[in-house]
Amino acid sequence: MKSIDILIIGAGISGATLAERYASLGKKVLVLEKRDHIAGNCYDFINENGILVSKYGAHLFHTNDEDVWEYVNRFGSWYPWEHKVVARVDDKTVSIPVNITTVNTLFDENISTEEEMKNWLDKNRVVYEPAKNGEEAVLNRVGPVLYEKMFKHYTKKQWDKYPAELHASVLERIPVRTNYDDRYFSDKHQALPKGGYTKIFEKMLDHPNITVLLNTDYFDVKDQYSGYEKLFYTGPVDRFFEFKEQLTEKLEYRSINFITEHLDQEYYQENSVVNYPGQEVDFTRIVEYKHFGDQKSDKTTIVKEFTVDQGEPYYPVPNEKNQLIYEKYKEKADALKDVYFVGRLANYKYFNMDQAFKNALDLFAELEAENLQEYETAKVI
Ligand SMILES: Cc1cc2nc3c(=O)[nH]c(=O)nc-3n(C[C@H](O)[C@H](O)[C@H](O)COP(=O)(O)OP(=O)(O)OC[C@H]3O[C@@H](n4cnc5c(N)ncnc54)[C@H](O)[C@@H]3O)c2cc1C
């Protein structure tokens, strides 16, 4: 067995960032990844129609963090992409987030200024301050008519829970615009990597100090590895402990069934993502990948997303019960020496990609502050 300094479980954003950073310090890094590919949930590939598709759902990069933006640009070029989402509601097509056009289209209103839109929201909203759950949070922002049409059933499809059964925080920050802005995000940097995310990860992990073993579940091989300085674990926190602790309560996760269809036509829908917030279909959205980067092909590929209970864990379910279970695991995790729990599954928290990069970069900087200083001094000398 080769000697290693750093053992990393998972080759997603968190694992790849730590691997790249430690390798740059001269450490020997081993990354174990249970899937047959790197890039975690950002993994994408060119399919049989010649279209770049994401295996685990469309991933749109957006950030206001200059350090993260500088970091991701080290590993490839990015092109500007302002994501837009539309929704089919009552046979109409409206913008998401809710904006002036959404309200005018759904309710035959004639709003034209920000002030009128604010008045409409004020007239409709039901004040709950503070909101005790997700339902109150939405009613507080937009009122019952939009709640019913756009949020209630979508939330049930997404979480298998109605908004009233979820933390207020899950829906508190639903974006609502009082203008015509129909961009899904408003961050300063919104972009997609030229050639896809997987290429970015290939570049990050392409270092003589980094070895990546695919198709390798850490729990099948962990006895083979010891003597490392630090272990970074980016898998589900409950899985780490269920083999040796008495904490048998499992955390809840939501997964997604991605149902792909290849169609012999140029386009299926007018936009990359069309959401279906109503009860008329079981899926939450349809993604047509060729819209991203205006890809060309005679055919098209669409993916319907059904959120389900069983399968790969994608989304932690944020409610009181799970938070209490997670806290027990966190206590155990914090007590371990030289073992660090990083990323969305290990922290049982949904992170956007930029937050995942930032958390990993911050952890590295925190743990290696001293070494980094010595390293910088050595470089200057
Ligand atoms: C459907 C979906 C859509 C999303 N869309 C966006 C978006 O548009 N914009 C955005 O900013 N963010 C988006 N995200 C969030 C984004 O995917 C995450 O921020 C990011 O993937 C987090 O990286 P990570 O390294 O923490 O986790 P992951 O990418 O999940 O990586 C963890 C890796 O660890 C591996 N692993 C787990 N257990 C083991 C084990 N026992 N042994 C070996 N390997 C193991 C897993 O196979 C996985 O590859 C989306 C997430 C989902 C689920």
Side-chain angles (χ1 to χ4, degrees):
M1 188 178 69
K2 279 198 286 183
S3 78
I4 43 165
D5 301 315
I6 305 292
L7 179 60
I8 296 180
I9 317 306
I13 291 178
S14 312
T17 304
L18 285 157
E20 185 280 327
R21 291 289 68 213
Y22 273 100
S24 77
L25 268 191
K27 300 285 184 189
K28 294 264 182 265
V29 181
L30 176 65
V31 182
L32 304 180
E33 170 54 61
K34 73 181 166 85
R35 292 172 170 166
D36 63 359
H37 59 74
I38 58 168
N41 278 359
C42 304
Y43 176 68
D44 51 16
F45 62 98
I46 304 279
N47 76 2
E48 54 265 58
N49 295 333
I51 301 167
L52 180 71
V53 295
S54 296
K55 184 163 179 186
Y56 307 97
H59 272 68
L60 289 307
F61 188 83
H62 55 104
T63 192
N64 283 319
D65 191 302
E66 296 299 336
D67 292 340
V68 168
W69 181 236
E70 184 277 319
Y71 183 71
V72 298
N73 273 278
R74 289 184 202 174
F75 308 104
S77 22
W78 296 66
Y79 62 92
W81 185 264
E82 290 191 331
H83 187 48
K84 295 196 175 161
V85 176
V86 296
R88 306 267 194 248
V89 182
D90 297 345
D91 295 330
K92 292 174 176 158
T93 298
V94 297
S95 289
I96 289 197
V98 168
N99 64 11
I100 291 180
T101 325
T102 315
V103 169
N104 284 345
T105 311
L106 283 181
F107 306 112
D108 287 330
E109 292 281 350
N110 210 2
I111 297 169
S112 61
T113 64
E114 290 217 46
E115 207 190 332
E116 285 169 8
M117 180 67 178
K118 282 183 191 149
N119 288 341
W120 187 91
L121 288 168
D122 281 344
K123 205 171 72 202
N124 279 275
R125 69 189 280 249
V126 185
V127 179
Y128 287 102
E129 277 168 357
K132 285 194 295 300
N133 56 46
E135 179 174 317
E136 291 186 1
V138 181
L139 292 174
N140 191 43
R141 293 293 304 276
V142 297
V145 279
L146 276 173
Y147 169 73
E148 189 65 34
K149 284 189 192 303
M150 301 199 58
F151 297 101
K152 183 175 171 184
H153 304 291
Y154 189 84
T155 307
K156 172 74 174 153
K157 286 200 271 190
Q158 173 89 356
W159 299 103
D160 195 25
K161 287 184 174 31
Y162 283 108
E165 301 168 81
L166 290 167
H167 265 182
S169 61
V170 184
L171 290 134
E172 218 151 40
R173 284 185 296 272
I174 49 160
V176 177
R177 306 251 165 82
T178 51
N179 53 23
Y180 288 95
D181 187 356
D182 63 350
R183 294 170 311 154
Y184 198 64
F185 306 111
S186 45
D187 302 53
K188 176 166 176 205
H189 304 290
Q190 304 186 32
L192 291 175
K194 280 187 191 154
Y197 287 97
T198 307
K199 281 198 176 355
I200 298 280
F201 283 80
E202 282 167 1
K203 192 93 184 283
M204 289 173 79
L205 294 168
D206 179 20
H207 191 289
N209 287 353
I210 302 178
T211 306
V212 180
L213 294 183
L214 297 177
N215 302 305
T216 308
D217 190 315
Y218 166 64
F219 297 105
D220 295 338
V221 299
K222 70 187 169 74
D223 295 338
Q224 296 173 29
Y225 300 100
S226 60
Y228 43 79
E229 284 171 29
K230 291 184 176 67
L231 183 152
F232 294 96
Y233 176 77
T234 75
V237 60
D238 46 349
R239 176 132 198 251
F240 190 92
F241 290 105
E242 68 193 353
F243 297 94
K244 50 182 182 177
E245 304 290 343
Q246 293 310 307
L247 288 168
T248 48
E249 258 180 305
K250 263 189 78 61
L251 287 160
E252 277 178 284
Y253 296 93
R254 293 291 281 164
S255 189
I256 303 174
N257 263 353
F258 297 100
I259 304 297
T260 301
E261 293 173 29
H262 300 291
L263 305 174
D264 207 356
Q265 64 197 69
E266 202 185 355
Y267 285 102
Y268 174 77
Q269 60 193 27
E270 73 277 32
N271 194 50
S272 57
V273 176
V274 177
N275 280 13
Y276 289 81
Q279 288 172 292
E280 66 284 2
V281 292
D282 289 338
F283 46 83
T284 52
R285 62 178 189 173
I286 299 181
V287 180
E288 184 170 27
Y289 280 93
K290 69 189 293 191
H291 287 284
F292 294 120
D294 299 322
Q295 302 179 63
K296 301 289 170 229
S297 170
D298 295 340
K299 302 194 173 161
T300 192
T301 300
I302 61 164
V303 180
K304 292 180 179 155
E305 297 186 4
F306 298 79
T307 316
V308 290
D309 269 345
Q310 301 301 322
E312 284 276 311
Y314 290 134
Y315 300 110
V317 180
N319 62 18
E320 219 65 60
K321 180 176 164 246
N322 287 321
Q323 197 52 36
L324 289 174
I325 302 175
Y326 168 66
E327 267 151 32
K328 286 198 219 160
Y329 284 114
K330 183 167 177 348
E331 231 171 80
K332 294 273 169 204
D334 289 346
L336 293 176
K337 195 169 168 312
D338 299 328
V339 179
Y340 300 90
F341 289 72
V342 203
R344 63 190 184 98
L345 297 171
N347 287 283
Y348 197 65
K349 193 164 192 280
Y350 182 84
F351 294 128
N352 281 324
M353 288 184 277
D354 64 330
Q355 294 168 302
F357 276 111
K358 175 137 186 66
N359 294 344
L361 290 170
D362 284 353
L363 178 64
F364 172 76
E366 184 192 316
L367 293 175
E368 302 304 325
E370 242 171 61
N371 285 341
L372 284 171
Q373 227 163 17
E374 278 170 26
Y375 179 75
E376 284 306 315
T377 318
K379 262 201 328 195
V380 175
I381 293 167

